Amino acid sequence: AFAFASCVPFGSSRGGLLFRAAGYEAGDARVLAAIEALLELDGPDVLRYADARRGQRRAARLAHAAGAQRLGASHLAGERRLDAFLLAGDTEAERWLRPLLEGELPAQAYGRLLLAPGARAPATPPPRGRQVCSCHDVGLEAIRGHLAATAGSEDARLASLQAALKCGTQCGSCVPELRALIRASSVPEPA
């Protein structure tokens, strides 16, 4: 299926496999799917991108840093690393993905950015912290950052949070936690 193919072991601390192939045309989707299956990149815990028109396909799997436990509904909180990836079409991203894989470096902050094309790593977003408002997907760090720059009464600070981040404006289930965060971040006013 390929004009050229090579398969070599790589990696120092853990076993790895680097498979490279080239052809005169974009890789056949069935062949790429078979390769993904061999690399265990066919499960629900795999990030995917495919553009058949441009002949591009990317897949990446994250695993817990402490072991090879796969992500799933019951995954434990903790840092995750890149465990495997496939690039077809634009393969320049290997320049920044391979060191993440080989060095077993933290990769969870990249999220879907692991699928970005190009030779330069995209900027990772700042840590979000745990999710406080599920209706508007607002994390703890965004709330703390806003509260650090906001003064006033508890009600005024809550209104400011709601106006700026929309947290606590839909179902209201996070309002008690927002109020607790406001109280915890309050600075006593000078007498």
Side-chain angles (χ1 to χ4, degrees), residues 4-138:
F4 163 83
S6 73
C7 187
V8 295
F10 82 94
S12 55
S13 65
R14 60 176 229 201
L17 176 70
L18 175 62
F19 175 74
R20 291 178 186 235
Y24 298 107
E25 297 179 12
D28 181 85
R30 292 174 303 199
V31 172
L32 292 173
I35 293 169
E36 285 180 356
L38 289 170
L39 297 174
E40 297 180 5
L41 288 169
D42 57 348
D45 58 340
V46 175
L47 300 170
R48 288 188 178 76
Y49 170 83
D51 184 342
R53 188 175 58 81
R54 292 184 177 157
Q56 295 187 17
R57 187 171 176 143
R58 295 186 274 284
R61 183 182 66 233
L62 297 173
H64 288 278
Q69 179 181 355
R70 299 269 160 53
L71 291 177
S74 63
H75 75 276
L76 303 172
E79 194 61 55
R80 291 183 289 272
R81 60 176 168 77
L82 186 61
D83 197 40
F85 69 90
L86 173 130
L87 303 173
D90 178 359
T91 61
E92 289 183 338
E94 179 188 351
R95 290 185 188 157
W96 63 272
L97 287 171
R98 188 171 174 177
L100 283 177
L101 179 72
E102 287 181 322
E104 299 183 47
L105 301 173
Q108 75 184 28
Y110 284 98
R112 296 198 67 76
L113 294 175
L114 289 168
L115 303 176
R120 291 177 33 133
T124 58
R128 285 179 26 95
R130 67 176 172 74
Q131 186 180 49
V132 175
C133 175
S134 57
C135 296
H136 292 285
D137 191 27
V138 181

